C-alpha cells in the first residue's frame, strides 16, 4: 500500500462518515472537511497522514484533528496543509475523550480513541480496522460535541472545554483570537468576573493538590497563584473595556466586520456554501 492508496481510502471514509452530518471536503488537495454550524460558526475535521516510525512494521500512521471557530477569529485559511493549520485545528479525539471524562460527559470506556492510528505493514485489514476505529471516534466524540454548537453562546461553551486559549482576552485588541464572541455568554463584566473567579478557585485547587502531593513546593505554589491572580485581574479589566471604552468598542466592531468579510470569502473560495 502506497501513500496515495492510503490517502484515497481515508478521504473516502471521511466523506462517507461526514457527509451525512453536513460536512463537505474543501476544494483542492487538503483533507479539510467543513460544516457551517451557523452563518457565524465553522467546524472542521481533518486528518494528517504521517510516515511510519517503524518502517519494518508500519505502513503509515494518521492522526485526526478538529476545531470549531467563529468567523470573527483572525484567519480561517482552509487552503493550506493540516500541519500548517495546527495553530487552531489541533484538538484530537483523545483530547475530546479525556475532556469529556473530566467533565462528566458520557464516554465509551472500551473505545478510547487514539492519537496515532497505525497501519501495519502490507496489511489491508489493518488499514480498514484503523479507519473504522477513527470513524467511531468521530461519531462518538467529535460529532456529538459539534452538534451542541448552535449559536455563539454554545460556541463559547465548546471552546471553554476544548480550546480555552482561543478565548483569552488579550491586552492588544487585534491580538484577540475568538474572545470577541465572549459577550454571547458573558453579557457584562459581572458575569465574566464571576467566571474568572471560578477559574481562579479551580487553579487554586489544582495548585494545592500539587503541593500536597509534593510535586510543587509551597513557595512555588504561592508564586503560581500570584501570577494567576494578576493575569485574571488583567483579563477582567480588559474585558470591561469591551463594554465601557469607546475606542475599544469601535476597534472590536471594525475588526469583527473585517474578519467576517475576509473569512467568509475565504470559505466560499474553497467551495463551502455560507
Amino acid at each position: 500500500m502506497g501513500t496515495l492508496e492510503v490517502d484515497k481510502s481515508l478521504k473516502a471514509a471521511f466523506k462517507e462518515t461526514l457527509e451525512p452530518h453536513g460536512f463537505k471536503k474543501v476544494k483542492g488537495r487538503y483533507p479539510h472537511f467543513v460544516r457551517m454550524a451557523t452563518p457565524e460558526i465553522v467546524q472542521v475535521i481533518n486528518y494528517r497522514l504521517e510516515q511510519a516510525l517503524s518502517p519494518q512494521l508500519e505502513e503509515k500512521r494518521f492522526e485526526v484533528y478538529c476545531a470549531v471557530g467563529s468567523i470573527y477569529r483572525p484567519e480561517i485559511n482552509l487552503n493550506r496543509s493540516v500541519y500548517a493549520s495546527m495553530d487552531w485545528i489541533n484538538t484530537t479525539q483523545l483530547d475530546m475523550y479525556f475532556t469529556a471524562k473530566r467533565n462528566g460527559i458520557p464516554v465509551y470506556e472500551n473505545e478510547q480513541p487514539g492519537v496515532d492510528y497505525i497501519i501495519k505493514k502490507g496489511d489491508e485489514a489493518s488499514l480498514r480496522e484503523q479507519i473504522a476505529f477513527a470513524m467511531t471516534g468521530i461519531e462518538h466524540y467529535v460529532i456529538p460535541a459539534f452538534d451542541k454548537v448552535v449559536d455563539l453562546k454554545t460556541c463559547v461553551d465548546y471552546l471553554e472545554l476544548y480550546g480555552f486559549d482561543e478565548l483569552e482576552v488579550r491586552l492588544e485588541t487585534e491580538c484577540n483570537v475568538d474572545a470577541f464572541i465572549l459577550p454571547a455568554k458573558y453579557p457584562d463584566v459581572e458575569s465574566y468576573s464571576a467566571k474568572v473567579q471560578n477559574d481562579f478557585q479551580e487553579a487554586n485547587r489544582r495548585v494545592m493538590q500539587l503541593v500536597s502531593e509534593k510535586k510543587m513546593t509551597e513557595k512555588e505554589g504561592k508564586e503560581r497563584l500570584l501570577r494567576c491572580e494578576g493575569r485574571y485581574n488583567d483579563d477582567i479589566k480588559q474585558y470591561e473595556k469591551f463594554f465601557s471604552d469607546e475606542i475599544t468598542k469601535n476597534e472590536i466592531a471594525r475588526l469583527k466586520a473585517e474578519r467576517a468579510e475576509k473569512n467568509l470569502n475565504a470559505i466560499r473560495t474553497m467551495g463551502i456554501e455560507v
Side-chain angles (χ1 to χ4, degrees), residues 147-173:
D147 284 348
K148 292 177 182 177
V149 180
V150 296
D151 53 24
L152 290 178
K153 177 185 178 298
T154 48
C155 186
V156 173
D157 290 338
Y158 175 93
L159 291 174
E160 285 182 331
L161 278 176
Y162 304 108
F164 63 90
D165 53 332
E166 301 284 300
L167 296 172
E168 288 183 4
V169 179
R170 311 295 172 92
L171 294 177
E172 298 295 330
T173 307

Side-chain angles (χ1 to χ4, degrees), residues 67-232:
V68 174
S70 82
I71 59 173
Y72 307 114
R73 57 176 292 108
E75 182 180 42
I76 297 174
N77 184 354
L78 299 168
N79 190 25
R80 58 180 182 171
S81 70
V82 174
Y83 182 79
S85 302
M86 289 184 70
D87 56 333
W88 74 288
I89 308 174
N90 52 30
T91 302
T92 68
Q93 294 172 320
L94 194 61
D95 293 333
M96 302 192 87
Y97 172 85
F98 282 118
T99 300
K101 202 168 183 179
R102 282 196 307 271
N103 289 276
I105 300 170
V107 298
Y108 297 79
E109 292 290 353
N110 297 324
E111 294 179 2
Q112 178 177 315
V115 175
D116 291 337
Y117 293 93
I118 300 169
I119 303 164
K120 295 177 183 177
K121 190 79 172 178
D123 189 341
E124 292 191 12
S126 172
L127 172 63
R128 291 192 296 272
E129 288 168 3
Q130 291 302 300
I131 289 177
F133 191 22
M135 296 306 105
T136 297
I138 289 173
E139 292 277 13
H140 284 176
Y141 298 105
V142 182
I143 297 299
F146 277 18
D147 284 348
K148 292 177 182 177
V149 180
V150 296
D151 53 24
L152 290 178
K153 177 185 178 298
T154 48
C155 186
V156 173
D157 290 338
Y158 175 93
L159 291 174
E160 285 182 331
L161 278 176
Y162 304 108
F164 63 90
D165 53 332
E166 301 284 300
L167 296 172
E168 288 183 4
V169 179
R170 311 295 172 92
L171 294 177
E172 298 295 330
T173 307
E174 68 274 11
C175 294
N176 282 277
V177 182
D178 241 336
F180 295 158
I181 68 172
L182 279 168
K185 183 172 182 179
Y186 305 105
D188 48 45
V189 180
E190 290 73 23
S191 57
Y192 184 72
S193 179
K195 177 258 186 195
V196 170
Q197 288 170 9
N198 287 335
D199 289 346
F200 181 70
Q201 289 173 4
E202 176 60 21
N204 184 74
R205 185 194 65 78
R206 290 197 301 268
V207 167
M208 291 300 100
Q209 183 175 345
L210 290 171
V211 171
S212 68
E213 294 172 352
K214 307 298 183 184
K215 296 178 180 178
M216 180 183 292
T217 66
E218 287 190 19
K219 181 182 178 182
E220 290 170 338
K222 288 179 181 178
E223 289 173 349
R224 178 178 291 190
L225 288 174
L226 280 173
R227 290 195 299 271
C228 286
E229 187 175 22
R231 187 173 72 249
Y232 289 154

Side-chain angles (χ1 to χ4, degrees), residues 6-7 10 14 31-33 45-53 58 60-66 82-84 86 89-95 113-119 130-131 133-135 138 142:
V6 174
D7 191 50
L10 282 167
F14 270 71
H32 302 298
F33 291 79
I45 303 174
N46 61 30
Y47 64 86
R48 180 180 172 191
L49 193 56
E50 296 279 359
Q51 294 297 322
L53 295 181
E58 302 172 16
K60 291 284 180 184
R61 57 176 62 208
F62 66 93
E63 303 161 348
V64 179
Y65 296 100
C66 64
V82 174
Y83 182 79
M86 289 184 70
I89 308 174
N90 52 30
T91 302
T92 68
Q93 294 172 320
L94 194 61
D95 293 333
V115 175
D116 291 337
Y117 293 93
I118 300 169
I119 303 164
Q130 291 302 300
I131 289 177
F133 191 22
M135 296 306 105
I138 289 173
V142 182

Side-chain angles (χ1 to χ4, degrees), residues 233-248:
N233 287 336
D234 287 342
D235 287 350
I236 293 170
K237 289 177 183 177
Q238 187 63 16
Y239 194 69
E240 186 174 9
K241 290 184 179 180
F242 281 22
F243 303 95
S244 62
D245 183 79
E246 287 301 320
I247 294 176
T248 301

